[in-house]
Amino acid sequence: MKQWDSVAIVGVGLIGGSIGLGLRDRGLARQVVGIARREASLRVAKRMGAVTKGTLDLARGVNGAELVVVCTPVARIAADARASAEVCRPGALITDVGSTKAEIVAALDGALSREVRFVGSHPLAGSEKSGPAAAAADLFVDRTVVVTPTRATREEDLASLDAFWTALGARVIRMSPEAHDRALAATSHLPHLAASALAASTPQGDLGLTASGWVDTTRVAAGDPELWQQIFMSNRANVLTALARYEKVLDSLRRCLEQGNKKKLTAILQEGKQKRDALAS
Amino acid sequence: MKQWDSVAIVGVGLIGGSIGLGLRDRGLARQVVGIARREASLRVAKRMGAVTKGTLDLARGVNGAELVVVCTPVARIAADARASAEVCRPGALITDVGSTKAEIVAALDGALSREVRFVGSHPLAGSEKSGPAAAAADLFVDRTVVVTPTRATREEDLASLDAFWTALGARVIRMSPEAHDRALAATSHLPHLAASALAASTPQGDLGLTASGWVDTTRVAAGDPELWQQIFMSNRANVLTALARYEKVLDSLRRCLEQGNKKKLTAILQEGKQKRDALAS
């Protein structure tokens, strides 16, 4: 397995911290440099062993890295990647871990100077928790990472990213940034929106009567509102399409209830069960 | 702790089987008789030790019981309780475990002959699984059981049910059947409807890109469509009210996305997070 000489992680939260831990646990990188905005994050990341070195200075942090992984919130990724490109070593590869891809890739694809290239990644792993303290070396094990090449992407960079994520335990698949955003609107962004709306619409006085159904269905609503606002805004057209599809099914269910249409109600529940049962967990 | 001489369980699925296991594990009943419609369920219940005796004959099954617990699907509970009342011993107490209460209690309250009384119960415990094979002796431990008295209910019967559920490890609270149904529409029935709609609205081709968010949010959609259709229909007015509240929040979210209103979008997500965070798990 390839050992990386130096990997820079810009933003050492849950995902950045987990990448660092994974790289160090598996002996995949000689040096992992964490770059953060706050000393406190660096302290936690260092104490956990997620980084070998930490700095608040982007230029110093990305300086010697072969690979820069931008793990900041979606709305900051393009700017952070561009800033990294200006101070990293010529020919370095930059990737990210953002939950949306089209907007970010469009801003960076083929747009960096000095032979620096950007290729987008999105690990389908995470948690409603955030921050480096929640990081885990095995966060990516058996998870899917979507890598989103374009026509400008070099095959060698794709191979590098494949090797990087695979070494962390993930399965890598390739999709266009646009196809990624369309699919993830349905499988990740809409579920989050639906869960948040469900939690928000529950009357305060009824919260004492929730059981496992409510608890499971609303789990992701505990996620960081600011991070998710950025994800929704970055993928709003696709989220709106997925939401319209969802509202249509809810509307059908409402009419079944109003009209006492048991047969159709059961059929819609059956369709949901069938799709749910297609998954093992 | 009181030992029951004989408890009859009508319907030995997940809940009925778990009651039997709990009673036997804790030495709470000398005899637990299971009544089912199918030999296969009785065989599983007997093999698991959930019942001491099993029969397909309701009259023989409830014959000697002090307490009859009706654990059949919501649409069958009133009829099964009425049939049990006609063949059980005079003065016996009947309860149920249905997810809705108003319709069932209205059909049975003070309506049984020979001093047989019905008081409704609803253990907020369960699973997307069903059948006696999924039963567990500790299913009710630290769970809430709502008992729904009316003006016709005797205090001694409430005390009996309190003792029964408490002995199985649950916390008992009392609510009117109507207040129960209003609250559970928001905390259990709507979440199920929302989860089923979410699963049903996910395009088949995108299912490979689901991650933990989708998995958690849709978990309950794996539940039995026929059982849930009955629950929704039995509580349709309250479910429609809760659904309207939900659709209103989704509509606000949709407008935030259309108008790029980040501030309001974040505020709604924040409200959902606040309600979700109020729970520990």
Side-chain angles (χ1 to χ4, degrees):
Chain A
M1 207 174 280
K2 176 181 171 174
Q3 221 220 10
W4 298 78
D5 182 55
S6 177
V7 176
I9 300 175
V10 183
V12 286
L14 169 71
I15 303 286
S18 296
I19 291 173
L21 280 177
L23 290 172
R24 301 208 54 213
D25 257 37
R26 294 161 180 248
L28 297 170
R30 197 186 53 77
Q31 184 167 250
V32 178
V33 186
I35 300 105
R37 287 191 156 189
R38 298 181 312 126
E39 267 299 350
S41 306
L42 290 179
R43 262 200 308 275
V44 175
K46 269 192 269 189
R47 199 179 54 225
M48 293 184 72
V51 299
T52 48
K53 224 174 85 177
T55 173
L56 302 176
D57 181 340
L58 184 68
R60 273 181 51 190
V62 301
N63 182 37
E66 300 164 74
L67 176 68
V68 179
V69 189
V70 180
C71 304
T72 50
V74 156
R76 288 226 318 264
I77 291 174
D80 287 339
R82 215 179 281 114
S84 300
E86 278 160 25
V87 289
C88 70
R89 77 181 187 203
L93 177 60
I94 304 182
T95 190
D96 75 325
V97 299
S99 296
T100 61
K101 296 270 69 82
E103 201 178 69
I104 293 165
V105 173
L108 300 169
D109 192 36
L112 307 175
S113 56
R114 300 180 304 119
E115 291 290 302
V116 178
R117 282 100 49 207
F118 176 85
V119 182
S121 303
H122 176 206
L124 307 192
S127 155
E128 69 281 6
K129 301 193 185 78
S130 56
D138 60 356
L139 189 71
F140 309 104
V141 173
D142 293 332
R143 302 293 174 173
T144 298
V145 174
V146 184
V147 171
T148 58
T150 68
R151 272 175 301 178
T153 305
R154 297 186 195 171
E155 192 51 46
E156 68 199 81
D157 291 339
L158 274 177
S160 276
L161 283 185
D162 256 13
F164 178 76
W165 291 115
T166 305
L168 289 170
R171 281 182 303 269
V172 175
I173 63 170
R174 298 176 185 183
M175 293 175 80
S176 74
E178 294 71 27
H180 168 276
D181 283 10
R182 265 195 306 276
L184 270 287
T187 60
S188 169
H189 309 161
L190 175 64
H192 196 104
L193 205 69
S196 291
L198 189 63
S201 80
T202 308
Q204 191 79 38
D206 293 337
L207 288 175
L209 287 166
T210 54
S212 61
W214 193 90
V215 169
D216 286 340
T217 312
T218 61
R219 180 159 292 122
V220 294
D224 185 315
E226 176 57 28
L227 294 184
W228 279 93
Q229 175 269 105
Q230 295 180 11
I231 292 168
F232 294 138
M233 283 298 170
S234 169
N235 196 24
R236 55 200 267 204
N238 290 310
V239 174
L240 281 167
T241 302
L243 179 55
R245 225 164 21 220
Y246 184 48
E247 288 184 305
K248 211 175 138 191
V249 179
L250 287 174
D251 198 57
S252 298
L253 286 166
R254 187 173 48 68
R255 272 179 290 121
C256 289
L257 287 169
E258 283 167 355
Q259 298 163 2
N261 190 341
K262 297 178 187 179
K263 200 174 151 190
K264 190 169 176 200
L265 176 51
T266 308
I268 299 173
L269 299 177
Q270 188 62 52
E271 191 191 344
K273 177 175 172 57
Q274 212 169 315
K275 288 185 176 160
R276 186 57 181 74
D277 287 349
L279 267 88
S281 55
Chain B
M1 207 174 280
K2 175 181 173 174
Q3 222 221 9
W4 300 77
D5 183 54
S6 177
V7 175
I9 300 175
V10 184
V12 286
L14 171 71
I15 303 286
S18 296
I19 292 173
L21 280 177
L23 290 172
R24 300 210 53 213
D25 256 38
R26 294 162 179 248
L28 298 170
R30 196 186 54 77
Q31 185 167 248
V32 178
V33 186
I35 299 105
R37 286 192 157 186
R38 296 180 311 125
E39 268 298 351
S41 305
L42 290 180
R43 262 201 309 275
V44 176
K46 268 192 267 190
R47 198 180 56 224
M48 294 185 72
V51 299
T52 48
K53 225 173 84 179
T55 173
L56 302 176
D57 180 338
L58 184 67
R60 273 182 52 191
V62 302
N63 182 36
E66 301 164 75
L67 176 67
V68 178
V69 189
V70 180
C71 304
T72 50
V74 156
R76 288 227 318 266
I77 290 174
D80 286 338
R82 214 179 281 115
S84 299
E86 278 160 26
V87 289
C88 70
R89 77 181 189 203
L93 177 61
I94 304 181
T95 190
D96 75 325
V97 300
S99 295
T100 61
K101 295 269 70 79
E103 201 178 67
I104 292 165
V105 173
L108 300 169
D109 193 36
L112 307 176
S113 55
R114 300 180 304 118
E115 291 290 302
V116 177
R117 282 101 48 209
F118 176 85
V119 182
S121 303
H122 176 206
L124 306 191
S127 157
E128 68 281 7
K129 301 194 186 77
S130 56
D138 61 355
L139 189 70
F140 309 105
V141 173
D142 293 333
R143 301 294 173 171
T144 297
V145 174
V146 184
V147 171
T148 58
T150 67
R151 272 174 302 180
T153 304
R154 297 186 195 173
E155 191 51 46
E156 67 199 81
D157 291 340
L158 274 178
S160 276
L161 283 185
D162 256 13
F164 177 76
W165 291 114
T166 305
L168 288 171
R171 282 182 303 268
V172 176
I173 63 170
R174 298 178 185 181
M175 292 175 81
S176 73
E178 293 72 26
H180 167 277
D181 283 10
R182 265 195 305 276
L184 270 288
T187 61
S188 168
H189 309 163
L190 175 64
H192 195 104
L193 204 70
S196 291
L198 189 62
S201 80
T202 308
Q204 191 78 38
D206 293 338
L207 288 175
L209 286 166
T210 54
S212 60
W214 193 91
V215 169
D216 286 340
T217 311
T218 60
R219 181 160 291 121
V220 295
D224 185 316
E226 177 56 29
L227 294 184
W228 278 93
Q229 176 268 105
Q230 295 180 10
I231 292 168
F232 294 138
M233 283 298 169
S234 169
N235 196 24
R236 55 201 267 201
N238 290 310
V239 174
L240 281 166
T241 303
L243 179 56
R245 225 164 22 219
Y246 183 49
E247 287 184 306
K248 211 174 139 190
V249 179
L250 287 173
D251 198 57
S252 297
L253 286 166
R254 189 173 47 69
R255 272 179 290 119
C256 289
L257 287 169
E258 283 167 356
Q259 298 163 2
N261 189 341
K262 296 179 189 179
K263 200 173 151 188
K264 189 167 177 202
L265 175 52
T266 308
I268 299 174
L269 299 177
Q270 188 61 53
E271 190 191 344
K273 177 176 171 56
Q274 211 168 315
K275 287 187 176 159
R276 186 57 181 75
D277 286 348
L279 267 88
S281 55

